[in-house]
Amino acid sequence: MPESARIADRTERVGGPYAWYVLIVLMVVYVFNFIDRSILTILGPYIQKDLGLSDGQIGLLSGTVFALFYGLFGLALGRLADTWVRTWTIALGLSIWSGMTALSGFATSFGALAAARVGVGVGEASASPAAYSLIGDWFPREKRATALSIYSSGIFIGAGLSFAISGVVVAGWNKAYAGGAAPLGLSGWQAAFLIIGIPGLLLAALVMTLREPPRGLADGILTKGPREPHPFLKMFAELGTILPPFTLFTLRRDGATGRVVGANFLAIVFAIAAAIILTRWTDSLVPAAKLKILFSVGRTAITSNAVQWAAMALGVYGVFAWSQSLSVRDKPLYTLVWKTPTLLLAALAGTLISFGSYAIGAWVYIYAFRMLHATPAAAGIALGLGGALGGLIGTSMGGIVGDAWRKRDPAGRLKVSLLASIVPLPIVAYAFFTTSLPVFYVCYALYGLIGTFWLGGITTTMQDLVLPRMRGTAGAMFFMGTTLLGLGNGPYMVGLISDATGDLRFAILCSLGGAPIVWLCIVLAIRWLPAAEASRVERARAAGEKI
C-alpha cells in the first residue's frame, strides 16, 4: 500500500465512527462497573440492620475489602492489558465482577459479603487499564481528553443509576413481600444484588466482538510483537512481584542486587509494624460498643481496624515491591512512570480528590436517610439521577474544555483540573449544613457537575507521559492510587470518625482536608508538564527503549 493510502487509512480509523462505537461500548461497561461497585452505598442501611454491622464495617466493605484486591490485581492486569488482547481482558473481568455481584445476594454474614466484594474487586480491576489503552489507540492526542472524559462519565452514570435502581428495587421488593414468602427467602437488598449483577454477563458477549487496534496506532509509534502465549501465567508471575514473600524470590530471579532485596525485606518489616501501631491507635478511638470483633486468634482480637490497616500495609508494600521489580525488568517503563515527577504529582492529586469524592459518595445516601429523614426510593432517585446527570455533563465537558484549552496552553487540561478541585468546596460545605432535603439534593447535583471536570485532565496527562505500550500499566497505576488509597481509605475514615465522634456530618467534611495538597500537586505539575512531555521519547530511549 502506498504511503499516502496508509496515512488515509490510519486517519479514517483513528477517531472515526468505529472508534466512537468502541468508546460508547466501553463507557457502558464502565457504567456497569460503577453500578456494581456503588450498590453497597444505598444498600448499607439494610445490610447493617440484617447483618448487625457498624458504620466502620460498612466503610470497610465499601472501600478497603474491594479496593485492596482491585488495586493489587489492577497492577498485574494492567501489565496483562499491555501484552494480551485488551477486549478479551475486559470481557473476562466483566463476567467475573457481574457474577460476584449476583452472588453477593446470597450473603448472610460479613465474611461472605466481604469474600464476594473481593471477587468484584478482582474482576473490575481488568476493565479500565485495558480501556484506557484501547482509547489511546483509537483517538488522536488532541481528542484524547474528550474521549477519556466521556468514558469516565460512566463512573457517575453508574453510581447514579446504582442509587436509583437499588432504591426502587428495595422499596418495591419489601412492599411486595411485606408479609413474607419472598422468593428464596431473599430480602430487598439481596434481590437488588441479583437484579443488578446478572445483566453484565450479557454485556460481556458484546465486548468480545470489538476489534483490537494496533498498539500505537494514533501516535504513529506502532508496537509490534507476538501475542502473549501464556497470559494467565504471565499475570500470576506479575502478582509475584507484588505479594510477599514471593517478591523476595522474584527480585532475585530477575537479577536484583542484594541491596535491593534487603530494602524489600525491611519494607515488609516496616509495613507490619505500621499496621500494628495504626490498628491499636484506631481501636482506641472507637467506643467499645461499636468496636466490632470479627474473630479471635488466641488472645488477639481481630477488629475491622486490624483488617483495614493490614490491607493498606499490604497494598502500599505491594506498590513499592512492584516498582523495585520494574526497575530491574523494564527500565524504560520504570523511568517514564516512577522517575517522572509530573506523572507522580498528577497521580497523587487524582488520588486525594478521589479520597474525598469516594468518601462523600459512599455516605451521602446514608446521611440523607439518617440526618434528613429521606425515604429510600425518593433519595435513591434524587441523589442517583442528580449525580448521574451532573457527572455525565461535568466529566464530558471537562474533557472538551481541557482539549480546547490545551490548543493554547500545553498545561490547559491540568488548569481545568485545578479549577475543578477548588470551586465545588463551598457547595459541598453548604450541602452538609442545610436542613432542607431538596436543597441537599440540588447541592449534590451541582457538586457532581462541577466537581467532575478534573478527571479528563489528570488521566490524559498520565497517558500522554508514557509510550503507547505502557498505557495499560499507567492506567493501572492511576487506578491503584484512586482505588486503593482513595476508595480504600475514604469511606473507611468517614466510618471510623463517625463511630468515634458520633457525628456523621463532621466525619464527611473531614474527607476534604487534603484539598491544599491537591492544589500544590497540580500547580507543580502544570509548571513541569511541557518539559516532561517533550522529553518522553528521549528519556525512554536513554533507558533502553528501542523506538
Side-chain angles (χ1 to χ4, degrees), residues 134 240-241 247 260 308 314-315 358 392 506 531:
L134 283 170
T241 69
T247 51
V260 172
Q308 166 71 22
L314 177 59
Y358 275 126
L392 170 62
F506 172 75

Side-chain angles (χ1 to χ4, degrees), residues 145-146 149 394-408 412-413 415-416 419 453:
T146 299
S149 294
T395 308
S396 302
M397 287 302 299
I400 294 170
V401 173
D403 277 339
W405 199 338
R406 188 183 184 278
K407 293 178 181 178
R408 303 189 302 272
R413 291 168 177 163
K415 291 181 178 179
V416 172
L419 290 173
F453 266 60

Side-chain angles (χ1 to χ4, degrees), residues 254-441:
D254 293 335
T257 64
R259 183 177 180 180
V260 172
V261 176
N264 191 282
F265 179 77
L266 289 176
I268 295 175
V269 174
F270 177 80
I272 293 172
I276 292 172
I277 293 170
L278 288 169
T279 297
R280 291 181 177 176
W281 176 59
T282 49
D283 278 355
S284 70
L285 296 177
V286 181
K290 292 186 176 182
L291 187 62
K292 294 286 185 176
I293 297 175
L294 303 181
F295 56 92
S296 297
V297 179
R299 296 183 179 181
T300 302
I302 306 300
T303 65
S304 57
N305 294 322
V307 175
Q308 166 71 22
W309 295 117
M312 287 301 104
L314 177 59
V316 172
Y317 164 78
V319 174
F320 171 76
W322 177 69
S323 69
Q324 282 188 309
S325 176
L326 282 184
S327 70
V328 177
R329 295 182 294 128
D330 193 337
K331 288 185 178 180
L333 175 58
Y334 176 79
T335 298
L336 293 190
V337 170
W338 290 102
K339 289 191 174 183
T340 304
T342 307
L343 186 147
L344 296 176
L345 288 167
L348 179 57
T351 295
L352 292 175
I353 296 173
S354 297
F355 179 97
S357 61
Y358 275 126
I360 292 170
W363 290 97
V364 64
Y365 175 80
I366 293 177
Y367 178 87
F369 189 75
R370 184 184 299 175
M371 306 295 289
L372 300 176
H373 311 294
T375 58
I381 292 173
L383 292 173
L385 295 184
L389 183 61
L392 170 62
I393 297 173
T395 308
S396 302
M397 287 302 299
I400 294 170
V401 173
D403 277 339
W405 199 338
R406 188 183 184 278
K407 293 178 181 178
R408 303 189 302 272
D409 182 345
R413 291 168 177 163
L414 286 179
K415 291 181 178 179
V416 172
S417 299
L418 178 62
L419 290 173
S421 69
I422 297 172
V423 176
L425 292 184
I427 298 173
V428 174
Y430 187 78
F432 286 99
F433 277 103
T434 184
T435 56
S436 169
L437 189 58
V439 171
F440 180 77
Y441 290 152

Side-chain angles (χ1 to χ4, degrees), residues 65-134:
V65 171
F66 171 91
L68 173 66
F69 288 88
Y70 183 105
L72 293 183
F73 272 79
L75 294 175
L77 289 166
R79 290 285 279 172
L80 181 65
D82 284 335
T83 58
W84 196 48
V85 184
R86 291 163 286 187
T87 53
W88 295 1
T89 302
I90 295 171
L92 178 61
L94 174 57
S95 300
I96 292 172
W97 89 62
S98 298
M100 295 305 289
T101 298
L103 285 177
S104 300
F106 297 102
T108 56
S109 66
F110 175 84
L113 192 53
R117 295 297 289 175
V118 168
V120 174
V122 171
E124 289 195 9
S126 68
S128 286
Y132 272 35
S133 181
L134 283 170

Side-chain angles (χ1 to χ4, degrees), residues 340-342 410-411 465 525-539:
T340 304
T342 307
L465 288 172
I526 288 171
R527 182 176 180 180
W528 297 337
L529 177 63
E533 275 195 329
S535 64
R536 176 188 62 155
V537 173
E538 180 184 342
R539 288 183 291 119

